[in-house]
Amino acid sequence: MAFIDEDMTQLYIDLIKNLDVTKSIEVGAHDADYSCLVYRENICKDIWAFEASPYVYNKFQSFLSEHINYKFLAISDYTGTAKLELQMEYSDMSMVGNNSIKNRSEVK
């Protein structure tokens, strides 16, 4: 689980449980850890996770529960196609998932 502070995570989970959430959407899901948490905590049944990197998506799609709608799609404010700049190498693990539709000058 990528969540840093367990107390804050639990506070957030308690909050959304009390709001009677019916749908969860995770954009830029990577391994969909948030969606998995929502499913495990039985917060809602309609869970969607979107990942635009084909490498990341292919790595995790088979591990995710059939109860999570994990989709190979990018989410944006427009309809159409966009070039995704994929970061293929990382100088440190903090850069993992640093893909973008913006032009990059870092390691690609």
Side-chain angles (χ1 to χ4, degrees):
M1 185 68 45
F3 299 106
I4 297 171
D5 186 313
E6 289 183 29
D7 291 334
M8 290 299 292
T9 301
Q10 191 57 53
L11 179 66
Y12 176 75
I13 293 300
D14 292 343
L15 175 66
I16 60 176
K17 280 182 176 178
N18 289 328
L19 293 174
D20 194 28
V21 173
T22 60
K23 183 176 288 200
S24 173
I25 299 172
E26 182 176 8
V27 177
H30 195 73
D31 62 358
D33 59 347
Y34 170 78
S35 295
C36 291
L37 177 65
V38 168
Y39 177 73
R40 278 194 311 276
E41 293 287 328
N42 198 29
I43 293 170
C44 63
K45 301 291 183 210
D46 195 7
I47 304 170
W48 293 82
F50 299 94
E51 176 55 50
S53 167
Y55 304 105
V56 172
Y57 176 80
N58 288 330
K59 180 177 180 179
F60 294 108
Q61 70 158 329
S62 64
F63 300 107
L64 292 172
S65 166
E66 65 187 48
H67 303 288
I68 296 170
N69 297 297
Y70 187 61
K71 302 295 182 187
F72 174 48
L73 291 171
I75 302 299
S76 179
D77 61 348
Y78 68 92
T79 301
T81 59
K83 179 181 172 188
L84 182 64
E85 296 279 337
L86 296 176
Q87 184 134 2
M88 302 304 291
E89 297 176 15
Y90 308 103
S91 59
D92 63 61
M93 290 308 290
S94 69
M95 295 175 71
V96 170
N98 197 22
N99 304 314
S100 178
I101 59 173
K102 296 179 182 178
N103 289 329
R104 297 291 187 169
S105 60
E106 305 100 46
V107 174
K108 292 183 186 171

mmCIF file of all heavy atoms in Angstrom, residues 3 24-26 29 32-40 47-50 68:
data_model
loop_
_atom_site.group_PDB
_atom_site.id
_atom_site.type_symbol
_atom_site.label_atom_id
_atom_site.label_comp_id
_atom_site.label_asym_id
_atom_site.label_seq_id
_atom_site.Cartn_x
_atom_site.Cartn_y
_atom_site.Cartn_z
ATOM 1 N N PHE A 3 0.073 4.279 0.714
ATOM 2 C CA PHE A 3 -0.348 5.339 1.617
ATOM 3 C C PHE A 3 0.696 5.540 2.702
ATOM 4 O O PHE A 3 1.159 4.586 3.313
ATOM 5 C CB PHE A 3 -1.712 5.022 2.226
ATOM 6 C CG PHE A 3 -2.796 4.897 1.192
ATOM 7 C CD1 PHE A 3 -3.303 3.659 0.854
ATOM 8 C CD2 PHE A 3 -3.279 6.009 0.538
ATOM 9 C CE1 PHE A 3 -4.293 3.532 -0.108
ATOM 10 C CE2 PHE A 3 -4.257 5.902 -0.431
ATOM 11 C CZ PHE A 3 -4.763 4.662 -0.750
ATOM 12 N N SER A 24 -16.464 4.864 -7.032
ATOM 13 C CA SER A 24 -15.088 5.280 -6.809
ATOM 14 C C SER A 24 -14.370 5.320 -8.149
ATOM 15 O O SER A 24 -14.480 4.390 -8.945
ATOM 16 C CB SER A 24 -14.381 4.287 -5.876
ATOM 17 O OG SER A 24 -13.016 4.598 -5.776
ATOM 18 N N ILE A 25 -13.624 6.401 -8.376
ATOM 19 C CA ILE A 25 -12.867 6.561 -9.615
ATOM 20 C C ILE A 25 -11.437 6.941 -9.244
ATOM 21 O O ILE A 25 -11.205 7.927 -8.555
ATOM 22 C CB ILE A 25 -13.494 7.639 -10.517
ATOM 23 C CG1 ILE A 25 -14.915 7.244 -10.893
ATOM 24 C CG2 ILE A 25 -12.629 7.863 -11.744
ATOM 25 C CD1 ILE A 25 -15.687 8.317 -11.620
ATOM 26 N N GLU A 26 -10.487 6.131 -9.719
ATOM 27 C CA GLU A 26 -9.070 6.397 -9.493
ATOM 28 C C GLU A 26 -8.417 6.675 -10.851
ATOM 29 O O GLU A 26 -8.411 5.814 -11.725
ATOM 30 C CB GLU A 26 -8.417 5.192 -8.821
ATOM 31 C CG GLU A 26 -6.972 5.381 -8.490
ATOM 32 C CD GLU A 26 -6.360 4.208 -7.746
ATOM 33 O OE1 GLU A 26 -7.012 3.162 -7.605
ATOM 34 O OE2 GLU A 26 -5.204 4.341 -7.318
ATOM 35 N N ALA A 29 -4.071 5.309 -12.010
ATOM 36 C CA ALA A 29 -4.173 4.320 -10.945
ATOM 37 C C ALA A 29 -2.901 3.544 -10.645
ATOM 38 O O ALA A 29 -2.754 3.024 -9.546
ATOM 39 C CB ALA A 29 -5.290 3.325 -11.284
ATOM 40 N N ALA A 32 -3.493 0.488 -8.790
ATOM 41 C CA ALA A 32 -4.860 0.595 -8.270
ATOM 42 C C ALA A 32 -4.937 0.305 -6.775
ATOM 43 O O ALA A 32 -5.918 -0.246 -6.281
ATOM 44 C CB ALA A 32 -5.819 -0.299 -9.058
ATOM 45 N N ASP A 33 -3.926 0.712 -6.018
ATOM 46 C CA ASP A 33 -3.930 0.438 -4.583
ATOM 47 C C ASP A 33 -5.091 1.118 -3.862
ATOM 48 O O ASP A 33 -5.703 0.541 -2.974
ATOM 49 C CB ASP A 33 -2.595 0.779 -3.931
ATOM 50 C CG ASP A 33 -2.163 2.223 -4.088
ATOM 51 O OD1 ASP A 33 -2.759 2.947 -4.913
ATOM 52 O OD2 ASP A 33 -1.217 2.621 -3.399
ATOM 53 N N TYR A 34 -5.436 2.327 -4.293
ATOM 54 C CA TYR A 34 -6.590 3.000 -3.683
ATOM 55 C C TYR A 34 -7.881 2.224 -3.979
ATOM 56 O O TYR A 34 -8.694 1.988 -3.086
ATOM 57 C CB TYR A 34 -6.712 4.444 -4.179
ATOM 58 C CG TYR A 34 -8.003 5.088 -3.775
ATOM 59 C CD1 TYR A 34 -8.184 5.555 -2.481
ATOM 60 C CD2 TYR A 34 -9.062 5.191 -4.668
ATOM 61 C CE1 TYR A 34 -9.388 6.118 -2.087
ATOM 62 C CE2 TYR A 34 -10.267 5.762 -4.287
ATOM 63 C CZ TYR A 34 -10.422 6.217 -3.002
ATOM 64 O OH TYR A 34 -11.611 6.766 -2.622
ATOM 65 N N SER A 35 -8.067 1.810 -5.209
ATOM 66 C CA SER A 35 -9.270 1.060 -5.584
ATOM 67 C C SER A 35 -9.356 -0.262 -4.823
ATOM 68 O O SER A 35 -10.439 -0.675 -4.401
ATOM 69 C CB SER A 35 -9.290 0.799 -7.092
ATOM 70 O OG SER A 35 -9.395 2.017 -7.782
ATOM 71 N N CYS A 36 -8.221 -0.904 -4.647
ATOM 72 C CA CYS A 36 -8.197 -2.160 -3.871
ATOM 73 C C CYS A 36 -8.603 -1.906 -2.426
ATOM 74 O O CYS A 36 -9.342 -2.696 -1.827
ATOM 75 C CB CYS A 36 -6.813 -2.791 -3.925
ATOM 76 S SG CYS A 36 -6.359 -3.425 -5.550
ATOM 77 N N LEU A 37 -8.138 -0.791 -1.860
ATOM 78 C CA LEU A 37 -8.520 -0.432 -0.503
ATOM 79 C C LEU A 37 -10.023 -0.180 -0.398
ATOM 80 O O LEU A 37 -10.686 -0.663 0.524
ATOM 81 C CB LEU A 37 -7.747 0.807 -0.050
ATOM 82 C CG LEU A 37 -8.097 1.361 1.327
ATOM 83 C CD1 LEU A 37 -7.741 0.364 2.424
ATOM 84 C CD2 LEU A 37 -7.384 2.684 1.554
ATOM 85 N N VAL A 38 -10.569 0.553 -1.349
ATOM 86 C CA VAL A 38 -12.015 0.827 -1.367
ATOM 87 C C VAL A 38 -12.800 -0.477 -1.435
ATOM 88 O O VAL A 38 -13.800 -0.647 -0.737
ATOM 89 C CB VAL A 38 -12.375 1.754 -2.559
ATOM 90 C CG1 VAL A 38 -13.868 1.818 -2.784
ATOM 91 C CG2 VAL A 38 -11.801 3.146 -2.333
ATOM 92 N N TYR A 39 -12.324 -1.406 -2.246
ATOM 93 C CA TYR A 39 -13.006 -2.700 -2.358
ATOM 94 C C TYR A 39 -12.902 -3.487 -1.052
ATOM 95 O O TYR A 39 -13.907 -3.998 -0.552
ATOM 96 C CB TYR A 39 -12.428 -3.517 -3.516
ATOM 97 C CG TYR A 39 -13.051 -4.878 -3.601
ATOM 98 C CD1 TYR A 39 -14.356 -5.029 -4.059
ATOM 99 C CD2 TYR A 39 -12.357 -6.000 -3.186
ATOM 100 C CE1 TYR A 39 -14.948 -6.276 -4.109
ATOM 101 C CE2 TYR A 39 -12.948 -7.253 -3.237
ATOM 102 C CZ TYR A 39 -14.240 -7.382 -3.703
ATOM 103 O OH TYR A 39 -14.831 -8.619 -3.733
ATOM 104 N N ARG A 40 -11.693 -3.578 -0.500
ATOM 105 C CA ARG A 40 -11.503 -4.331 0.759
ATOM 106 C C ARG A 40 -12.329 -3.767 1.901
ATOM 107 O O ARG A 40 -12.824 -4.506 2.744
ATOM 108 C CB ARG A 40 -10.027 -4.340 1.155
ATOM 109 C CG ARG A 40 -9.204 -5.370 0.465
ATOM 110 C CD ARG A 40 -7.859 -5.564 1.124
ATOM 111 N NE ARG A 40 -7.142 -4.339 1.393
ATOM 112 C CZ ARG A 40 -6.379 -3.679 0.511
ATOM 113 N NH1 ARG A 40 -6.250 -4.140 -0.711
ATOM 114 N NH2 ARG A 40 -5.754 -2.577 0.855
ATOM 115 N N ILE A 47 -16.436 0.393 -8.743
ATOM 116 C CA ILE A 47 -15.067 0.878 -8.593
ATOM 117 C C ILE A 47 -14.371 0.881 -9.952
ATOM 118 O O ILE A 47 -14.314 -0.143 -10.632
ATOM 119 C CB ILE A 47 -14.287 -0.006 -7.604
ATOM 120 C CG1 ILE A 47 -15.024 -0.079 -6.256
ATOM 121 C CG2 ILE A 47 -12.865 0.520 -7.421
ATOM 122 C CD1 ILE A 47 -14.455 -1.106 -5.306
ATOM 123 N N TRP A 48 -13.830 2.037 -10.328
ATOM 124 C CA TRP A 48 -13.155 2.212 -11.620
ATOM 125 C C TRP A 48 -11.755 2.745 -11.376
ATOM 126 O O TRP A 48 -11.560 3.671 -10.587
ATOM 127 C CB TRP A 48 -13.930 3.206 -12.483
ATOM 128 C CG TRP A 48 -15.268 2.689 -12.887
ATOM 129 C CD1 TRP A 48 -16.425 2.709 -12.145
ATOM 130 C CD2 TRP A 48 -15.591 2.044 -14.103
ATOM 131 N NE1 TRP A 48 -17.433 2.115 -12.848
ATOM 132 C CE2 TRP A 48 -16.951 1.692 -14.056
ATOM 133 C CE3 TRP A 48 -14.860 1.727 -15.240
ATOM 134 C CZ2 TRP A 48 -17.599 1.052 -15.089
ATOM 135 C CZ3 TRP A 48 -15.500 1.080 -16.279
ATOM 136 C CH2 TRP A 48 -16.854 0.756 -16.201
ATOM 137 N N ALA A 49 -10.769 2.167 -12.074
ATOM 138 C CA ALA A 49 -9.387 2.629 -12.013
ATOM 139 C C ALA A 49 -8.872 2.760 -13.439
ATOM 140 O O ALA A 49 -9.045 1.848 -14.254
ATOM 141 C CB ALA A 49 -8.545 1.642 -11.220
ATOM 142 N N PHE A 50 -8.265 3.896 -13.759
ATOM 143 C CA PHE A 50 -7.796 4.177 -15.112
ATOM 144 C C PHE A 50 -6.281 4.356 -15.117
ATOM 145 O O PHE A 50 -5.735 5.106 -14.302
ATOM 146 C CB PHE A 50 -8.459 5.445 -15.655
ATOM 147 C CG PHE A 50 -9.949 5.333 -15.726
ATOM 148 C CD1 PHE A 50 -10.749 5.781 -14.691
ATOM 149 C CD2 PHE A 50 -10.556 4.771 -16.839
ATOM 150 C CE1 PHE A 50 -12.131 5.678 -14.760
ATOM 151 C CE2 PHE A 50 -11.942 4.663 -16.924
ATOM 152 C CZ PHE A 50 -12.729 5.110 -15.869
ATOM 153 N N ILE A 68 -12.975 -4.717 -9.610
ATOM 154 C CA ILE A 68 -12.439 -3.396 -9.934
ATOM 155 C C ILE A 68 -12.364 -3.282 -11.450
ATOM 156 O O ILE A 68 -11.770 -4.116 -12.114
ATOM 157 C CB ILE A 68 -11.042 -3.194 -9.313
ATOM 158 C CG1 ILE A 68 -11.142 -3.233 -7.791
ATOM 159 C CG2 ILE A 68 -10.429 -1.877 -9.789
ATOM 160 C CD1 ILE A 68 -9.808 -3.286 -7.097
#
